Amino acid sequence: MSTTATPSAPRAGRREWTGLAVLVLPALLASMDLSILFTALPRISAELHPSATQQLWISDIYGFLLAGLLITMGALGDRIGRRRLLLIGGALFGAASALAAYVPTAEALIAARALLGAGGAVLAPSTLALIRDMFRDERQRGVAVGVWTAAFTGGIAVGPVLGGVLLEYFWWGSVFLINVPVMALLLVLGPLLLPESADPRASRRFDLLSAALSMAAVLPVVYGVKELAAHGAAAAPVAAIAAGLALGAVFVRRQYTLPDPLIDVGLFRRGAFSASVGVSALLTFSLVGFGLQAVQYLQLVQGISPLPAALLQVPTAVGTVAGIALATRAVRRVPPGTVVGTGLLVSAAGFALLTLVRVDSSVLLVMGSYTVLTLGVGMAMALANAMVIGSAPPERAGAAAAVSETGAELGGALGIAILGSVATAAYRSGVAGEVPPGLPPEAADAAGETLGGAVAAAEHLPGPAAEALLEGARQAFTSGLDTLALVGAAVLVVAAAAAFAALRGVTPATDPDGPR
């Protein structure tokens, strides 16, 4: 990836840098909404009484809809204008946030989170695409992408922090309501500071069938994987995965035959592009999937209230920023593939440390290990995003950014679904036999499904029985946490090996497209 300024490229000025601050807002919120719910889930469970399956849907429906719509919205922004689409998305996201804050049932919250996912999909692709257009100088663009990446990945860490602060003083719906004033600010400042940007051939036909196929390919696969992880092999989820893959093949084939495809699938022949998309997906898969469990560990195992638990996660956001700064400087002298691969190995080391966590472990071990993990995420993710948008032609920046963000969001959604389901299965297995007789059937079922349910059930038991139930439930949950950390470490070691191989031909002085 080149980091040398192109002499003929105009340099960004004060307006562009101020506009970048505006673009950070939707990037921050879109990723923050993947994780801000982590802190609120215990409160939501207590008030809305979702089942274990509903709890997973509340968490992951947002990411599923986001991932399913991103490609369509990225291509649409290239045609109708990225700033216009950004502002439409801001209005939709704000309205859906207000709705989610006041829903009365778990089913209604799932529906509201689905609308939030749709709003996030309208918002997200325009941010990176506008950066590609606003920052023509490659070194300035690298810095701008680093700032955007800090917001996007940092939002995952900041979400629980902000959620903890809000829950200390307000009800659970405040974690959604906070989005409304931020979106209002975007709607006011966006037209003043952001340029309109679109494909100069914007009159070309938008292929609605390709848009439908992109969603029809993504959503059945996600559903099928989620159901397999939660309930094991069954005909319905296997059929859903097969149908999604078949529709994905039809989608790709159609893109090759269209004069104006929804996405340029030829981009995946470029080593830097395809490897970078994969890196983003796997990092988000591991980080978000583990993050949900880590927040519950702090609150329900360690017994830390939401605000202190949130504040303990501040160093993880600092770790991400430090990783981005380190990667931005290192890539001037070290090949990008080496920096990305090293970042993945650092994250894997953080996961390896997390396998040491026990019920009575020091909080310093948990958060120190997690900070090592986020340091590596910052190193790898910043360069991955820069290589994605740098390898695409400017007029296709929206579609390229959407592919990258689809990978990241799909990775996050699958992380919650798969790793969350693995954790649930490990908990159920470990807590079996720990639920004492005499509990009402509903309380017994809740205690056998989630740690939050066990905590609630213990309130109705006498002291010794309550303590025995809580001890067994906490041991079962922590054992599942260790399993997830081991899986995360293994995934990232494999990803590091792939990144070293796929990006070995990319150097700071060569074509950012890398090996073809």
Side-chain angles (χ1 to χ4, degrees), residues 15-42:
R15 180 178 180 183
E16 285 77 15
W17 290 108
T18 307
L20 177 63
V22 176
L23 290 176
V24 161
L25 295 176
L28 180 67
L29 288 182
S31 63
M32 194 173 71
D33 259 54
L34 277 171
S35 63
I36 195 170
L37 202 63
F38 296 172
T39 310
L41 270 178

Short mmCIF file of all heavy atoms in Angstrom, two decimals, residues 15-42:
data_model
loop_
_atom_site.label_atom_id
_atom_site.label_comp_id
_atom_site.label_asym_id
_atom_site.label_seq_id
_atom_site.Cartn_x
_atom_site.Cartn_y
_atom_site.Cartn_z
N ARG A 15 -12.02 22.21 5.83
CA ARG A 15 -13.40 21.74 5.67
C ARG A 15 -13.46 20.23 5.59
O ARG A 15 -14.36 19.60 6.18
CB ARG A 15 -14.01 22.36 4.41
CG ARG A 15 -15.45 21.91 4.20
CD ARG A 15 -16.09 22.54 3.00
NE ARG A 15 -17.46 22.08 2.83
CZ ARG A 15 -18.25 22.43 1.83
NH1 ARG A 15 -17.81 23.27 0.91
NH2 ARG A 15 -19.48 21.96 1.76
N GLU A 16 -12.52 19.61 4.87
CA GLU A 16 -12.53 18.15 4.75
C GLU A 16 -12.28 17.48 6.10
O GLU A 16 -12.93 16.49 6.46
CB GLU A 16 -11.47 17.69 3.74
CG GLU A 16 -11.83 17.93 2.29
CD GLU A 16 -11.65 19.38 1.86
OE1 GLU A 16 -10.99 20.14 2.60
OE2 GLU A 16 -12.17 19.75 0.79
N TRP A 17 -11.34 18.03 6.88
CA TRP A 17 -11.06 17.42 8.18
C TRP A 17 -12.22 17.62 9.14
O TRP A 17 -12.51 16.73 9.96
CB TRP A 17 -9.77 17.99 8.77
CG TRP A 17 -8.55 17.54 8.04
CD1 TRP A 17 -7.75 18.28 7.23
CD2 TRP A 17 -8.00 16.21 8.03
NE1 TRP A 17 -6.72 17.51 6.71
CE2 TRP A 17 -6.85 16.24 7.18
CE3 TRP A 17 -8.35 15.01 8.64
CZ2 TRP A 17 -6.07 15.11 6.95
CZ3 TRP A 17 -7.57 13.89 8.40
CH2 TRP A 17 -6.45 13.94 7.57
N THR A 18 -12.90 18.75 9.06
CA THR A 18 -14.09 18.95 9.88
C THR A 18 -15.20 18.02 9.42
O THR A 18 -15.94 17.45 10.23
CB THR A 18 -14.56 20.40 9.80
OG1 THR A 18 -13.48 21.28 10.11
CG2 THR A 18 -15.71 20.65 10.79
N GLY A 19 -15.31 17.84 8.10
CA GLY A 19 -16.29 16.90 7.57
C GLY A 19 -16.01 15.47 8.02
O GLY A 19 -16.94 14.68 8.25
N LEU A 20 -14.72 15.13 8.19
CA LEU A 20 -14.39 13.80 8.69
C LEU A 20 -14.97 13.58 10.08
O LEU A 20 -15.44 12.48 10.40
CB LEU A 20 -12.86 13.63 8.71
CG LEU A 20 -12.35 12.31 9.28
CD1 LEU A 20 -12.80 11.13 8.43
CD2 LEU A 20 -10.82 12.34 9.40
N ALA A 21 -14.94 14.63 10.90
CA ALA A 21 -15.52 14.51 12.23
C ALA A 21 -17.01 14.18 12.16
O ALA A 21 -17.55 13.43 12.98
CB ALA A 21 -15.30 15.80 13.02
N VAL A 22 -17.69 14.73 11.14
CA VAL A 22 -19.11 14.42 10.95
C VAL A 22 -19.29 12.97 10.51
O VAL A 22 -20.20 12.27 10.97
CB VAL A 22 -19.73 15.38 9.92
CG1 VAL A 22 -21.18 15.01 9.63
CG2 VAL A 22 -19.65 16.82 10.41
N LEU A 23 -18.40 12.49 9.63
CA LEU A 23 -18.51 11.11 9.15
C LEU A 23 -18.21 10.09 10.24
O LEU A 23 -18.66 8.94 10.17
CB LEU A 23 -17.54 10.89 7.98
CG LEU A 23 -17.88 11.60 6.67
CD1 LEU A 23 -16.79 11.38 5.64
CD2 LEU A 23 -19.23 11.12 6.15
N VAL A 24 -17.44 10.50 11.24
CA VAL A 24 -17.13 9.60 12.34
C VAL A 24 -18.40 9.24 13.13
O VAL A 24 -18.53 8.14 13.67
CB VAL A 24 -16.08 10.24 13.27
CG1 VAL A 24 -16.05 9.59 14.63
CG2 VAL A 24 -14.70 10.14 12.62
N LEU A 25 -19.36 10.18 13.19
CA LEU A 25 -20.57 9.96 14.00
C LEU A 25 -21.35 8.72 13.55
O LEU A 25 -21.63 7.84 14.38
CB LEU A 25 -21.47 11.20 13.97
CG LEU A 25 -20.90 12.47 14.61
CD1 LEU A 25 -21.86 13.63 14.40
CD2 LEU A 25 -20.64 12.25 16.08
N PRO A 26 -21.73 8.60 12.27
CA PRO A 26 -22.48 7.39 11.88
C PRO A 26 -21.64 6.13 11.96
O PRO A 26 -22.17 5.04 12.27
CB PRO A 26 -22.92 7.68 10.45
CG PRO A 26 -22.02 8.75 9.96
CD PRO A 26 -21.66 9.57 11.16
N ALA A 27 -20.32 6.23 11.68
CA ALA A 27 -19.47 5.04 11.80
C ALA A 27 -19.43 4.56 13.24
O ALA A 27 -19.50 3.36 13.52
CB ALA A 27 -18.06 5.36 11.31
N LEU A 28 -19.33 5.51 14.16
CA LEU A 28 -19.28 5.17 15.58
C LEU A 28 -20.59 4.52 16.04
O LEU A 28 -20.59 3.48 16.70
CB LEU A 28 -19.01 6.44 16.40
CG LEU A 28 -18.93 6.30 17.92
CD1 LEU A 28 -17.70 5.49 18.30
CD2 LEU A 28 -18.89 7.67 18.58
N LEU A 29 -21.73 5.13 15.64
CA LEU A 29 -23.02 4.62 16.10
C LEU A 29 -23.35 3.27 15.46
O LEU A 29 -23.92 2.40 16.12
CB LEU A 29 -24.12 5.62 15.80
CG LEU A 29 -24.13 6.89 16.66
CD1 LEU A 29 -25.32 7.76 16.30
CD2 LEU A 29 -24.18 6.54 18.14
N ALA A 30 -23.02 3.11 14.17
CA ALA A 30 -23.35 1.86 13.49
C ALA A 30 -22.67 0.67 14.16
O ALA A 30 -23.27 -0.40 14.32
CB ALA A 30 -22.97 1.93 12.02
N SER A 31 -21.40 0.85 14.56
CA SER A 31 -20.71 -0.26 15.24
C SER A 31 -21.07 -0.31 16.72
O SER A 31 -21.13 -1.40 17.31
CB SER A 31 -19.19 -0.11 15.07
OG SER A 31 -18.72 1.07 15.69
N MET A 32 -21.30 0.85 17.32
CA MET A 32 -21.64 0.88 18.74
C MET A 32 -22.94 0.13 19.01
O MET A 32 -23.08 -0.51 20.06
CB MET A 32 -21.77 2.34 19.20
CG MET A 32 -21.77 2.53 20.70
SD MET A 32 -21.70 4.28 21.13
CE MET A 32 -23.36 4.80 20.63
N ASP A 33 -23.87 0.18 18.07
CA ASP A 33 -25.14 -0.50 18.28
C ASP A 33 -25.01 -2.02 18.21
O ASP A 33 -25.94 -2.74 18.58
CB ASP A 33 -26.18 -0.01 17.26
CG ASP A 33 -27.12 1.00 17.90
OD1 ASP A 33 -26.64 1.98 18.47
OD2 ASP A 33 -28.34 0.78 17.85
N LEU A 34 -23.86 -2.52 17.73
CA LEU A 34 -23.60 -3.95 17.81
C LEU A 34 -23.30 -4.38 19.24
O LEU A 34 -23.56 -5.51 19.63
CB LEU A 34 -22.40 -4.33 16.92
CG LEU A 34 -22.65 -4.54 15.43
CD1 LEU A 34 -21.33 -4.68 14.71
CD2 LEU A 34 -23.52 -5.76 15.19
N SER A 35 -22.73 -3.44 20.04
CA SER A 35 -22.24 -3.84 21.36
C SER A 35 -22.89 -3.12 22.53
O SER A 35 -22.79 -3.59 23.66
CB SER A 35 -20.72 -3.61 21.44
OG SER A 35 -20.42 -2.22 21.31
N ILE A 36 -23.54 -1.97 22.29
CA ILE A 36 -24.10 -1.23 23.42
C ILE A 36 -25.17 -2.04 24.14
O ILE A 36 -25.41 -1.88 25.34
CB ILE A 36 -24.68 0.12 22.95
CG1 ILE A 36 -24.93 1.04 24.16
CG2 ILE A 36 -25.96 -0.06 22.14
CD1 ILE A 36 -25.27 2.47 23.78
N LEU A 37 -25.78 -2.97 23.39
CA LEU A 37 -26.82 -3.79 23.99
C LEU A 37 -26.26 -4.80 24.98
O LEU A 37 -26.98 -5.31 25.83
CB LEU A 37 -27.58 -4.53 22.88
CG LEU A 37 -29.00 -5.01 23.21
CD1 LEU A 37 -29.89 -3.82 23.50
CD2 LEU A 37 -29.56 -5.82 22.06
N PHE A 38 -24.94 -5.09 24.87
CA PHE A 38 -24.34 -6.08 25.77
C PHE A 38 -24.59 -5.71 27.23
O PHE A 38 -24.96 -6.55 28.05
CB PHE A 38 -22.83 -6.17 25.53
CG PHE A 38 -22.43 -6.67 24.17
CD1 PHE A 38 -21.11 -6.65 23.77
CD2 PHE A 38 -23.37 -7.16 23.28
CE1 PHE A 38 -20.73 -7.10 22.53
CE2 PHE A 38 -23.00 -7.62 22.03
CZ PHE A 38 -21.67 -7.58 21.66
N THR A 39 -24.35 -4.42 27.54
CA THR A 39 -24.50 -3.98 28.92
C THR A 39 -25.95 -4.00 29.37
O THR A 39 -26.25 -4.24 30.54
CB THR A 39 -23.93 -2.55 29.07
OG1 THR A 39 -22.62 -2.51 28.49
CG2 THR A 39 -23.83 -2.14 30.52
N ALA A 40 -26.86 -3.72 28.43
CA ALA A 40 -28.28 -3.61 28.78
C ALA A 40 -29.00 -4.95 28.83
O ALA A 40 -30.10 -5.02 29.37
CB ALA A 40 -28.98 -2.69 27.78
N LEU A 41 -28.39 -6.01 28.30
CA LEU A 41 -29.11 -7.29 28.21
C LEU A 41 -29.59 -7.82 29.57
O LEU A 41 -30.71 -8.33 29.65
CB LEU A 41 -28.24 -8.34 27.51
CG LEU A 41 -28.38 -8.42 26.00
CD1 LEU A 41 -27.44 -9.45 25.42
CD2 LEU A 41 -29.83 -8.73 25.59
N PRO A 42 -28.78 -7.73 30.63
CA PRO A 42 -29.32 -8.19 31.91
C PRO A 42 -30.59 -7.44 32.33
O PRO A 42 -31.54 -8.05 32.84
CB PRO A 42 -28.16 -7.93 32.88
CG PRO A 42 -26.94 -8.02 32.03
CD PRO A 42 -27.34 -7.40 30.73
#
